[in-house]
Amino acid sequence: MDPMKIAEHVSDSGALQNLSPPVQTALFLGALTLIPAALVSLTAFTRIVIVLGFVRRAVTTQEIPPNLVITGLSLFLTLFVMGPTIDDIGAQAVEPYMDGKINGVTAMCRGSDSLHHFMVRQTRRSDLALFLHLAKVTPPDEPKDVPMRVLIPAFVISELKTAFIMGFCIYLPFLLVDLVVASVLTALGIITMPPVIISAPFKILLFVLADGWHLVVRALSLSFQ
């Protein structure tokens, strides 16, 4: 059974209202622990943070930018990319719920529908077909009918594949710099000096001259359209 339908049945039965306030508080705090998992699994965060991590490793700048900067930039880029989806959730679910027009379960269903639409657009058919086969679920006629328990893992592995493809494309030019520097050092007979010591400044210079951060952020943003 779909989790949203289960939540609707629980809400209609009044089971939550019959629980004591401490138990309701504990359930609420427990639900808050799922927010980081939802941020990683249901949004653009995974692709963005992995690609930015590839950029830092490709340039071989060690811990520059720091992890906090990478995570913060990934978070705000995620909010930027997810802007239309967030606006749709606000209009379809949050505002009607705050106005008392719908209950919490209906708001959750509408919000999940908006996320469902975003994830379906970013998920490869092959990944979706894999989990439909593993779950022994008949392929639906419409993308909107794909169960969330099938869509979420398919979306995650699809995001991982896309991020690694983009990371490879970022790594390639910097790898060529390493090969050229290593060849020059070998031709000069300087075999005791690690090539990375010489190539690192050239990589940074190449990245700056190419306006690398601009190109990376632009490519990430366009990859979700």
Side-chain angles (χ1 to χ4, degrees):
M1 183 179 292
D2 187 79
M4 291 296 103
K5 293 182 179 179
I6 296 177
E8 188 172 358
H9 288 318
V10 173
S11 178
D12 293 340
S13 66
L16 292 177
Q17 288 75 11
N18 296 330
L19 297 176
S20 62
V23 175
Q24 293 182 15
T25 303
L27 291 175
F28 175 74
L29 294 177
L32 290 180
T33 61
L34 299 176
I35 293 179
L39 174 64
V40 173
S41 304
L42 307 179
T43 67
F45 184 83
T46 297
R47 183 190 306 185
I48 293 173
V49 74
I50 290 177
V51 171
L52 294 181
F54 269 114
V55 171
R56 185 173 64 180
R57 290 181 177 273
V59 183
T60 61
T61 52
Q62 301 300 324
E63 295 300 321
I64 301 174
N67 290 330
L68 185 60
V69 175
I70 293 294
T71 305
L73 178 58
S74 301
L75 178 60
F76 284 105
L77 281 177
T78 299
L79 293 176
F80 174 77
V81 170
M82 299 291 297
T85 303
I86 294 174
D87 292 341
D88 187 60
I89 292 175
Q92 300 295 329
V94 177
E95 292 180 3
Y97 174 73
M98 297 298 292
D99 293 339
K101 297 179 180 178
I102 59 176
N103 58 25
V105 175
T106 303
M108 289 178 58
C109 291
R110 292 186 179 182
S112 65
D113 288 342
S114 299
L115 283 175
H116 189 283
H117 178 68
F118 169 79
M119 289 189 291
V120 165
R121 288 193 296 109
Q122 303 300 326
T123 304
R124 288 181 170 82
R125 292 185 178 180
S126 58
D127 296 327
L128 197 56
L130 169 65
F131 283 95
L132 286 172
H133 173 71
L134 293 176
K136 298 180 180 179
V137 174
T138 303
D141 297 329
E142 298 291 336
K144 64 180 181 179
D145 297 328
V146 177
M148 289 293 284
R149 67 186 181 93
V150 172
L151 178 60
I152 292 176
F155 171 75
V156 172
I157 66 170
S158 184
E159 287 292 281
L160 290 174
K161 181 176 181 179
T162 302
F164 272 74
I165 292 174
M166 297 181 68
F168 171 78
C169 295
I170 292 171
Y171 244 107
L172 197 57
F174 296 104
L175 178 61
L176 295 177
V177 173
D178 282 332
L179 293 176
V180 170
V181 171
S183 299
V184 171
L185 291 179
T186 302
L188 295 176
I190 307 175
I191 59 176
T192 58
M193 179 179 293
V196 68
I197 297 179
I198 305 298
S199 64
F202 288 101
K203 289 180 179 180
I204 297 175
L205 180 62
L206 174 64
F207 192 71
V208 172
L209 291 177
D211 200 2
W213 291 113
H214 175 90
L215 294 176
V216 170
V217 170
R218 183 175 184 273
L220 279 170
S221 300
L222 293 177
S223 67
F224 289 97
Q225 295 182 0

